[in-house]
Amino acid sequence: QAVVPFPIHQIFATLNDGRYRQSYDENIDSTRFVQKVAANTYFIYQKTRKVFVVSSRDLVLGYHVKKVSESHSSAHHNTVAHPL
């Protein structure tokens, strides 16, 4: 739990912004916004770096933020299934 003087949407938008992601997550090679699909719901593309014997991976994440109350919000990330 943390208290910060910024709206939750701004915090999560910054955490998923490709310009900042590499500064705190060394396993991510690149990140970019794909599209907004509904209110507070977005698709984000990420490419991971190779880690030991695991090759790099491409991911599309579904990301949703929901305000639960004046003082609480929740954020959910899910990988999007590939159509194969």
Side-chain angles (χ1 to χ4, degrees):
Q1 184 174 354
V3 177
V4 292
F6 300 100
I8 192 72
H9 289 81
Q10 186 177 357
I11 293 167
F12 286 114
T14 301
L15 289 174
N16 287 297
D17 190 322
R19 296 174 293 178
Y20 306 112
R21 183 70 187 235
Q22 292 173 316
S23 68
Y24 68 88
D25 190 344
E26 63 187 28
N27 295 318
I28 297 295
D29 188 40
S30 64
T31 299
R32 69 177 170 83
F33 173 81
V34 176
Q35 77 180 75
K36 181 176 182 175
V37 293
N40 303 323
T41 305
Y42 309 90
F43 284 143
I44 300 166
Y45 166 83
Q46 292 183 347
K47 181 174 182 174
T48 64
R49 296 177 192 263
K50 179 181 178 189
V51 179
F52 300 110
V53 297
V54 179
S55 62
S56 68
R57 302 282 192 247
D58 292 297
L59 308 166
V60 175
L61 301 172
Y63 165 73
H64 179 78
V65 178
K66 180 179 179 180
K67 186 173 185 175
V68 179
S69 69
E70 285 302 314
S71 60
H72 292 86
S73 293
S74 65
H76 304 275
H77 283 91
N78 294 308
T79 55
V80 177
H82 193 281
L84 287 180

